[in-house]
Amino acid sequence: MPHRPALTPLVESLPATVPFVGPEAQERSRGRPFRARIGANENGFGPSPRVAAAIAEAAPESWKYCDPENHDLRAALAAQLGVGMENIVVDGGIDILLGVTVRQYVEPGAAVVTSLGAYPTFNYHVAGFGGRLVTVPYDGGDRESLDGLVDAVKREGAPLVYLSNPDNPMGTWWEADDVVRFIDALPETTMLVLDEAYGETAPASALPPLDVTRPNVLRMRTFSKAYALAGLRCGYAIGERETIRAFEKVRNHFGMSRLAQVAALAALHDQAHLADIVTRVAACRDRIAGIAAENGLVALPSATNFVAIDCGGDGDFALKAMEALVADGIFVRKPMAPGLDRCIRVSVGPEAEIALFAEALPPALAAARGG
Amino acid sequence: MPHRPALTPLVESLPATVPFVGPEAQERSRGRPFRARIGANENGFGPSPRVAAAIAEAAPESWKYCDPENHDLRAALAAQLGVGMENIVVDGGIDILLGVTVRQYVEPGAAVVTSLGAYPTFNYHVAGFGGRLVTVPYDGGDRESLDGLVDAVKREGAPLVYLSNPDNPMGTWWEADDVVRFIDALPETTMLVLDEAYGETAPASALPPLDVTRPNVLRMRTFSKAYALAGLRCGYAIGERETIRAFEKVRNHFGMSRLAQVAALAALHDQAHLADIVTRVAACRDRIAGIAAENGLVALPSATNFVAIDCGGDGDFALKAMEALVADGIFVRKPMAPGLDRCIRVSVGPEAEIALFAEALPPALAAARGG
């Protein structure tokens, strides 16, 4: 005889897990703070001072709920993107939008296609709604395999497929023409989540033109990366109007932070800061690649705010190098999937932190070699 | 032959709806702002100045993701409440916690019990996960019926039941002894969501002692009401450790706003401001009741930050009075369920706004009588 409420069989079957352990948890376990926080693809260059000022100004108004329609932000985004407000849904980050999308299109047992080693939080949501994850290895260990994804979608009759472009965790990208061919090759009944979280730091040639006539493509973007507002939680999806309207059926209408709405709008209005950030991100990618080269390692080309460094050995070697860096107070992460796991992943940040990484890398590699 | 991805049958069956239309949407449709914003049970007295200062100070750090474990806030709450950190889960408001709870315990078709006219967002989540809502009329039109809820739970074999105490939308409450008897009468296999969003403004005698040994009770609280941080999105649930741990299976770990974490912690540390707010809320409830009496109407006793005023007629009459107020720039709402719908609901707020309400009520009642 049970003496407690029963979780649904699906939820009961899930592990109590977290897609990523946060740096704060690592710091608590280490007993001291990291010296450099360049592991979570955050943007240590920080948000526009005008954004911080807008937040400070709006803080006393935090007693008000958000506008559940996100009207002003959607209007500004629509004007910037040249689409209609009805083509945009705003929510508290791409993570939430991914969860809602899975919930909308995936029945328990249905196949969902992604790349082996791609964004874990997407996989978390697929498991959470009972989807059956089908993974496709990266192409040559570096880029998501567009052909492989299409083949898997068709073979499995998948209602949903995920592609990040530029890619996380490798930083690589496909050109827009390739992405358009990929979209054209997908069945019209398969929804594509095209995660463009790193779109602003990518070459313009990597982003296909927006086409809001296609019901089966959701382009997802965020204020977490180039706009440096990861902690505020604001992302959006762009799509065909009926596809976007379906989010109204299940989204948490009053879930947005009012300060996130205010901050995102202010960020959007400071395109000079964004341009400056993009320049600094590109320079920092080069700096990180240079550090890799100084150590005889190869940095993968990156269109994101991080760089994957091929440590020149196997996954075990790269893991040891990462662990040595972390032990030395440098917070970095690494991909874990076979083929990708030869790399560590270093986020851009202020030069002071990158210099600490440059200093810590040679002994970390030595430790990995000797260990 | 379909030419677009199919929503799951459940999601397809849902309306594209919103539990509440926000005041901003009403203002856009009116073409001018409200003169008084006293309709959404917000707390117009506002957050502590120390909270606003903490937000302003932390704003430039918004490039960092939140601590997904909500460690510091949970530690502070645990210390305040005399429970363990493992007895607390924090998320972006009670709305999210309600959704996650429904998802955890409700299979499609399962009965979920609530009161007819109680919190619409809970009902929205029940529908969203395919639950079958079973409603119990309020007791005498004023209080949720504890006996009626227990009877319905047993009759329907419901895995989940919802009770708000103090109640929204009526503002009434049960004493702790009654609530404990209600809990004792529930099957151990039925999860109770005890929504205590208005707990801080209630008499202490309305809140049962915390008992984190019971696996089937989730006490939900928020920083939206007494702490006046509705726009920041921070709520928490208190429960038995395994019940709390199950949230890790499905919650959005990086979904919290970092500023919400900072603000909630600062709010918790300013108990003097909370005490001041509670005093002002109580005085404003009396003021609103006095305005009702001046107009020959009866205000229901309230333990919340709002007052339900019985307009002395039927639902149609109260609706007309509310519409006249709204047309006059006074944002208020009203319950719509039979029995409750004789009332309008007025939130507390600064005297300037309450005075506008006092001025607008007599002509609104006259319009309702003449209309």
Side-chain angles (χ1 to χ4, degrees):
Chain A
M1 180 84 187
H3 292 293
R4 60 187 307 140
L7 295 167
T8 70
L10 170 59
V11 174
E12 179 65 42
S13 76
L14 299 171
T17 186
V18 51
F20 298 99
V21 177
E24 293 83 2
Q26 295 182 54
E27 288 176 332
R28 286 189 291 269
S29 129
R30 287 162 41 83
R32 57 193 194 284
F34 282 120
R35 298 188 294 143
R37 183 171 167 132
I38 47 175
N41 301 349
E42 296 164 329
N43 180 347
F45 297 125
S48 157
R50 284 160 62 181
V51 170
I55 291 172
E57 189 187 334
E61 300 292 304
S62 292
W63 59 272
K64 296 178 185 170
Y65 285 100
C66 73
D67 169 17
E69 299 182 2
N70 294 291
H71 177 278
D72 296 350
L73 180 56
R74 284 165 57 229
L77 286 168
Q80 187 200 47
L81 299 168
V83 300
M85 277 181 65
E86 70 279 10
N87 298 115
I88 298 173
V89 58
V90 168
D91 214 326
I94 288 179
D95 283 1
I96 285 188
L97 291 164
L98 291 176
V100 174
T101 303
V102 171
R103 183 175 163 195
Q104 287 179 102
Y105 294 100
V106 179
E107 290 260 61
V112 178
V113 173
T114 186
S115 299
L116 180 64
Y119 193 45
T121 304
F122 178 74
N123 304 354
Y124 173 79
H125 290 307
V126 172
F129 289 103
R132 181 170 54 85
L133 201 67
V134 175
T135 55
V136 176
Y138 275 57
D139 200 352
D142 284 359
R143 287 203 293 190
E144 297 196 50
S145 167
L146 300 183
D147 293 343
L149 290 169
V150 169
D151 289 349
V153 162
K154 291 184 174 169
R155 186 180 71 239
E156 304 280 348
L160 183 63
V161 56
Y162 175 89
L163 174 71
S164 60
N165 190 56
D167 176 68
N168 179 15
M170 301 305 272
T172 53
W173 70 99
W174 288 96
E175 291 293 319
D177 290 351
D178 297 307
V179 176
V180 169
R181 267 192 298 275
F182 169 73
I183 293 172
D184 287 340
L186 288 173
E188 288 178 337
T189 50
T190 298
M191 180 60 76
L192 166 64
V193 168
L194 181 53
D195 183 343
E196 297 179 327
Y198 301 96
E200 291 88 355
T201 55
S205 61
L207 302 182
L210 291 175
D211 173 5
V212 292
T213 68
R214 296 194 85 113
N216 70 328
V217 179
L218 282 165
R219 311 271 290 260
M220 296 198 181
R221 297 184 180 177
T222 181
F223 287 87
S224 294
K225 303 301 177 182
Y227 288 104
L229 292 171
L232 264 182
R233 315 310 306 136
C234 185
Y236 55 103
I238 310 157
E240 182 264 351
R241 66 183 294 159
E242 287 305 311
T243 298
I244 293 299
R245 184 163 164 73
F247 281 81
E248 298 303 317
K249 293 165 175 270
V250 286
R251 77 182 179 92
N252 181 23
H253 293 84
F254 287 83
M256 280 296 291
S257 158
R258 203 169 170 281
L259 289 182
Q261 293 177 327
V262 165
L265 205 53
L268 215 54
H269 287 149
D270 192 352
Q271 291 292 311
H273 182 80
L274 178 67
D276 179 51
I277 286 285
V278 168
T279 304
R280 292 164 80 182
V281 166
C284 192
R285 287 190 308 232
D286 291 344
R287 168 85 167 107
I288 294 170
I291 294 166
E294 285 164 20
N295 287 272
L297 310 181
V298 175
L300 273 63
S302 169
T304 64
N305 72 340
F306 60 86
V307 177
I309 299 177
D310 184 336
C311 289
D314 59 7
D316 188 52
F317 178 78
L319 181 64
K320 283 179 182 159
M322 184 201 78
E323 287 172 346
L325 286 165
V326 166
D328 196 17
I330 311 296
F331 169 54
V332 295
R333 285 192 178 130
K334 71 180 294 300
M336 299 303 284
L340 318 185
D341 61 352
R342 70 191 194 282
C343 296
I344 59 171
R345 198 191 63 180
V346 182
S347 307
V348 300
E351 172 55 25
E353 304 206 6
I354 302 299
L356 289 172
F357 167 70
E359 194 178 270
L361 184 58
L365 293 169
R369 286 192 190 102
Chain B
M1 178 87 185
H3 292 293
R4 60 186 306 139
L7 296 167
T8 69
L10 170 59
V11 175
E12 178 65 43
S13 76
L14 300 171
T17 186
V18 52
F20 298 100
V21 177
E24 293 84 2
Q26 295 182 53
E27 288 175 333
R28 285 189 292 270
S29 130
R30 286 161 43 83
R32 58 193 193 283
F34 282 119
R35 299 186 294 142
R37 183 172 168 131
I38 48 175
N41 301 350
E42 295 164 330
N43 179 348
F45 297 124
S48 158
R50 285 161 63 182
V51 170
I55 291 172
E57 189 186 334
E61 300 292 303
S62 292
W63 59 273
K64 296 177 184 171
Y65 285 102
C66 73
D67 169 17
E69 298 182 2
N70 294 292
H71 177 278
D72 296 351
L73 180 55
R74 284 166 57 231
L77 286 167
Q80 187 199 48
L81 299 168
V83 300
M85 278 181 65
E86 70 279 9
N87 298 116
I88 299 173
V89 58
V90 168
D91 214 326
I94 289 180
D95 283 1
I96 286 188
L97 291 164
L98 291 175
V100 174
T101 302
V102 172
R103 183 174 163 196
Q104 288 178 102
Y105 294 100
V106 179
E107 290 261 60
V112 178
V113 174
T114 186
S115 299
L116 180 64
Y119 194 46
T121 305
F122 177 73
N123 304 352
Y124 173 80
H125 290 307
V126 171
F129 289 104
R132 180 170 54 84
L133 202 68
V134 175
T135 56
V136 176
Y138 274 57
D139 199 352
D142 284 359
R143 287 202 293 189
E144 299 196 49
S145 167
L146 300 183
D147 292 343
L149 291 169
V150 169
D151 289 349
V153 162
K154 291 184 174 171
R155 187 180 69 239
E156 304 280 347
L160 183 63
V161 57
Y162 175 89
L163 174 71
S164 60
N165 191 56
D167 175 69
N168 179 14
M170 301 306 271
T172 53
W173 71 100
W174 288 96
E175 290 294 317
D177 290 350
D178 297 308
V179 176
V180 169
R181 267 193 297 276
F182 169 72
I183 293 171
D184 286 341
L186 288 173
E188 289 180 335
T189 50
T190 298
M191 180 61 76
L192 166 65
V193 168
L194 181 54
D195 183 343
E196 297 179 328
Y198 301 96
E200 292 87 356
T201 55
S205 60
L207 303 181
L210 292 175
D211 173 3
V212 292
T213 68
R214 296 194 85 111
N216 70 327
V217 179
L218 282 165
R219 310 272 289 262
M220 296 198 181
R221 298 185 181 176
T222 182
F223 287 88
S224 294
K225 304 300 177 183
Y227 288 105
L229 293 170
L232 264 181
R233 314 309 307 135
C234 185
Y236 55 104
I238 309 158
E240 182 263 353
R241 64 183 294 157
E242 287 306 311
T243 297
I244 294 299
R245 185 164 164 72
F247 281 81
E248 298 304 316
K249 294 166 174 268
V250 286
R251 76 181 180 93
N252 180 24
H253 292 85
F254 286 84
M256 280 296 291
S257 158
R258 202 169 170 281
L259 289 182
Q261 293 178 327
V262 166
L265 205 53
L268 215 54
H269 287 149
D270 192 352
Q271 291 293 311
H273 181 79
L274 178 67
D276 180 51
I277 286 285
V278 168
T279 304
R280 291 163 80 182
V281 166
C284 191
R285 286 189 309 232
D286 291 345
R287 168 86 167 106
I288 294 169
I291 294 166
E294 286 163 19
N295 286 272
L297 309 181
V298 175
L300 273 61
S302 169
T304 64
N305 72 339
F306 59 86
V307 177
I309 298 177
D310 184 337
C311 289
D314 59 6
D316 188 52
F317 179 78
L319 181 63
K320 283 179 181 157
M322 185 202 77
E323 286 172 346
L325 286 165
V326 166
D328 196 18
I330 311 296
F331 169 55
V332 294
R333 286 193 177 128
K334 71 180 293 302
M336 299 303 283
L340 317 185
D341 61 352
R342 70 191 193 282
C343 296
I344 59 171
R345 198 191 63 180
V346 182
S347 307
V348 301
E351 173 54 25
E353 304 206 5
I354 302 300
L356 288 171
F357 167 71
E359 194 179 271
L361 184 58
L365 291 169
R369 286 192 191 103

